[in-house]
Structure formats: structure tokens, C-alpha cells
Amino acid sequence: MKPSMNFWSGKRVLLTGHTGFKGGWLALWLQKLGADITGISLPPATSPNLFLLASLEKTIKGHFIDIRDRNRLSEQIKRVNPQIVFHLAAQPLVRAGYHEPVKTFETNILGTVNVLDALRKCDSLEACVIITTDKVYRNLEWPYPYREVDELGGYDPYSASKAATEIIVESYRKSFFTEMTAGLATARAGNVIGGGDWAEDRLIPDAIKAWQKGQTLTIRRPGAIRPWQHVLEPLYGYLVLAENMVGDRSLSGSYNFGPAPSQTASVKEVITLASTFYGRGETAFNTRKTGPHEANNLALETAKARSVLGVTPKWSLEKAIKETISWYRQLENGQDAGKLCLSQLAEFESSL
């Protein structure tokens, strides 16, 4: 299924986290589809950032509001009276969660509660997709991919905050959204890569920053296995999920979005491909584990998204890494960030 311009054109869409990496890409796609977008977020967390490089501050009705500020958030949502909501605003990093656990829990748990509580009073709402993570599962380090029905958990503060978010969304769905016509779902995406990400402690951004400076990239867990995917893959899933829930609220629930379990790869495999496409840059691999606990093995079962929504991966891991590195190299050579995104989006859409 391909996102329909007939559906999205003129839709009032609230996008939280629009100044972030995934939020920026989603905003560009929604603009292309003709949606009327309002963004709620903190200012961009990095410099450079996709939000400013793609000139999204000029094209989106954006508001810098901390989602922990319940009153300001509620007032703005009431003004927007959205039809579709994508909630991406969060503290999104595992290692940052160790450094700031209270802020992580406040933002990811209470922030989501504030969003949901404002939305349950919104009579125009048709569908809401809450973005969590593949790390919501109680990771048993087993070789099997996790399904939506598997046990939730979370060793570290970030993972625990997102698992708690899943439980809260389910509570709101049963307690309040059954009385509404709106669908309410959570989306659990695998590890996302793509141009425009400069966050700390993320594999490709760390590599780009090191290699551009002529420095050696140090990899702390080369054997860790993750479900890597290009950023456009889960965003495609989010759009299709929201569109399908309008008119069929029974599709509410939780969905995994990621590559086929057979396409998961280790950090070493990913960075080796990335360095090949980049064409220069040294990498050093640690032989012993350092830093706080992180899961070693993680894969997602995506049969539900495939069978219920018709959403399947379009780009291979090699293609995803190639397009990601190409984006950064072209930006380095003076190309426009927004045009680079739209060019890759057009190529991705051609595969739908």
C-alpha cells in the first residue's frame, strides 16, 4: 500500500518531535502528501540538524513546547484540533537515559500521558500513532525475533520508559478511546539509519563525525546485533497504519516495523559496509565490553505489519547504508539537505 495523497491532502496533522531526525523526515513526507502540519517539540538538540538544514522552520507551523508542560501542551493541542497525530517527541537514546534517568522517565512516560490526556478531549481526532521502540521487550538474549505479544521489559531507563509507555497507551485505549471513533496504536521500530542524524552515541552519526575529521572511529560493541533499517521504512509503516486506522478502529494495537529477521546484522557488519561506501576512514573495534549494559541480540518479527497492513521492507541493508552514506557525502559536497531527502523519498516511493 502506498500513502494516498487523496487521504492526506489538507489533513490536520499534529507531529510531536518535528525538530528531530525521524520527525524531520516525516514532516517532509507529510508536506509532499499535502498535509496541514503543526509541530510540537523542543528546539533541535544538535548542531547541525535536519530541521534547519531542510528549512522546515519556514514551512511548518512549529511550537517549541516541552511535552512535560501539561498546560501549554494541552492548550496548543486544543487549538490545533488535529485529525491525525504522530507522537515522536521523546528522550530517544539509551546511554543518555543512564546519564539523566529522571528526565528520561518524565519525558517519555509523563510526556506521553500529557499528550494522550489532551487528545482524549479532541473531538476531531481520527487516528493517533505513538512511536516507542524495539527495546520495549524484556530482552532474554535469545535467537528468536520478538513479537508484539511477547513480554515487555526494560533493563535501562530508556527501555523501561518506553515499555511503560506501551502499558499506558493500552490503558488509555481501553479506558477512554473505546468511547471515541479514533484509532490508537503504538509503533515499535528497529534501529533507524539515514541522512540528517547527528545524535550522540549513534553508530552512523558517530562514524560520519569521526571520518570527516580524519579521526579513528572506536566501536564499543562490534558484535551487537540489531534490526537496522533506513528511516523511510518505519515512516512508511506509520503513515499506512494511521491511514488504515481511520475507518477501521479495530486495527488499533501495537506493531513492529523492521527488516526481516534474517536481515539483522552486527554493528561490525554495518560499519564495515558504511566505511566501504564512505571511501575513507579508520575504525577500531573494542575486544572487551565497555560502558553500561546494552542488549547484545535483538530482532523483530514483523509478520503482523506484513499481514494486517501490507507493509514490507523495500530496501536491503546494503541499500539503506549506501543511501545513508551517500546523503552525508553529498551534503559534505554542498548539496541541499531538503533536496537530498526528497530525492531519496521519491526513489523509495517508486518501490511501493
Side-chain angles (χ1 to χ4, degrees):
M1 181 178 176
K2 187 174 182 178
S4 169
M5 186 171 288
N6 289 334
F7 174 86
W8 290 101
S9 182
K11 282 282 187 185
R12 295 190 307 279
V13 177
L14 174 64
L15 172 58
T16 74
H18 69 292
T19 62
F21 161 55
K22 286 175 72 177
W25 275 92
L26 183 53
L28 287 166
W29 200 339
L30 286 166
Q31 282 183 334
K32 191 170 187 284
L33 292 168
D36 177 12
I37 311 166
T38 298
I40 290 178
S41 183
L42 294 175
T46 65
S47 181
N49 58 79
L50 183 61
F51 177 69
L52 294 178
L53 287 175
S55 300
L56 286 167
E57 83 283 5
K58 300 176 182 177
T59 57
I60 290 180
K61 294 174 287 187
H63 303 272
F64 291 156
I65 298 174
D66 191 325
I67 59 172
R68 293 175 296 174
D69 188 336
R70 183 166 59 89
N71 291 334
R72 284 192 66 205
L73 178 69
S74 180
E75 289 169 3
Q76 188 57 52
I77 290 177
K78 184 177 180 180
R79 282 193 210 91
V80 176
N81 199 25
Q83 295 169 284
I84 310 290
V85 174
F86 295 102
H87 175 46
L88 281 72
Q91 191 298 94
L93 302 172
V94 171
R95 288 168 73 88
Y98 280 109
H99 297 309
E100 297 185 296
V102 174
K103 181 179 179 181
T104 298
F105 287 123
E106 287 179 343
T107 302
N108 294 352
I109 297 176
L110 292 179
T112 302
V113 169
N114 291 339
V115 170
L116 289 169
D117 211 57
L119 290 177
R120 72 185 179 94
K121 304 161 190 172
C122 185
D123 56 13
S124 68
L125 188 65
E126 298 174 0
C128 176
V129 180
I130 306 292
I131 312 307
T132 60
T133 175
D134 56 356
K135 297 171 183 63
V136 298
Y137 297 105
R138 181 176 175 234
N139 196 306
L140 301 174
E141 299 289 357
W142 59 19
Y144 314 110
Y146 291 92
R147 306 163 299 165
E148 290 86 350
V149 296
D150 285 330
E151 183 181 358
L152 300 175
Y155 184 106
D156 61 275
Y158 167 74
S159 301
S161 73
K162 288 295 191 174
T165 296
E166 290 279 350
I167 295 170
I168 288 164
V169 172
E170 179 69 9
S171 172
Y172 265 81
R173 183 187 298 118
K174 292 177 176 178
S175 300
F176 306 110
F177 277 70
T178 54
E179 301 171 3
M180 304 169 65
T181 59
L184 176 61
T186 58
R188 306 165 179 175
N191 282 45
V192 172
I193 61 174
D197 186 6
W198 282 277
E200 295 291 333
D201 294 320
R202 284 172 60 82
L203 182 61
I204 299 297
D206 285 351
I208 295 298
K209 284 180 279 191
W211 294 340
Q212 283 180 342
K213 296 176 182 176
Q215 298 174 349
T216 298
L217 171 70
T218 300
I219 300 297
R220 61 180 183 270
R221 283 184 169 85
I225 296 172
R226 295 288 185 269
W228 310 92
Q229 60 185 330
H230 191 272
V231 62
L232 290 172
E233 301 278 9
L235 299 186
Y236 164 52
Y238 305 163
L239 290 167
V240 171
L241 174 57
E243 192 170 332
N244 275 267
M245 279 196 298
V246 176
D248 190 354
R249 194 179 60 179
S250 68
L251 295 180
S252 297
S254 298
Y255 293 82
N256 288 338
F257 294 105
S262 62
Q263 293 296 303
T264 58
S266 71
V267 169
K268 185 174 183 178
E269 289 171 317
V270 170
I271 208 63
T272 299
L273 274 173
S275 63
T276 299
F277 290 127
Y278 195 77
R280 68 176 194 267
E282 298 296 326
T283 304
F285 299 99
N286 276 344
T287 57
R288 59 186 180 83
K289 293 182 180 180
T290 60
H293 173 274
E294 293 182 62
N296 188 60
N297 187 42
L298 179 58
L300 293 178
E301 176 56 72
T302 57
K304 182 179 179 182
R306 185 170 63 249
S307 60
V308 175
L309 303 174
V311 172
T312 58
K314 304 304 176 186
W315 285 357
S316 67
L317 176 62
E318 183 175 348
K319 172 71 169 174
I321 297 171
K322 182 178 181 180
E323 293 300 325
T324 298
I325 298 303
S326 173
W327 193 100
Y328 286 107
R329 289 306 301 265
Q330 291 184 76
L331 184 74
E332 191 178 354
N333 292 331
Q335 297 297 310
D336 179 80
K339 291 180 180 178
L340 288 173
C341 291
L342 291 175
S343 175
Q344 291 189 351
L345 174 55
E347 182 179 354
F348 186 84
E349 285 183 312
S350 70
S351 68
L352 302 180

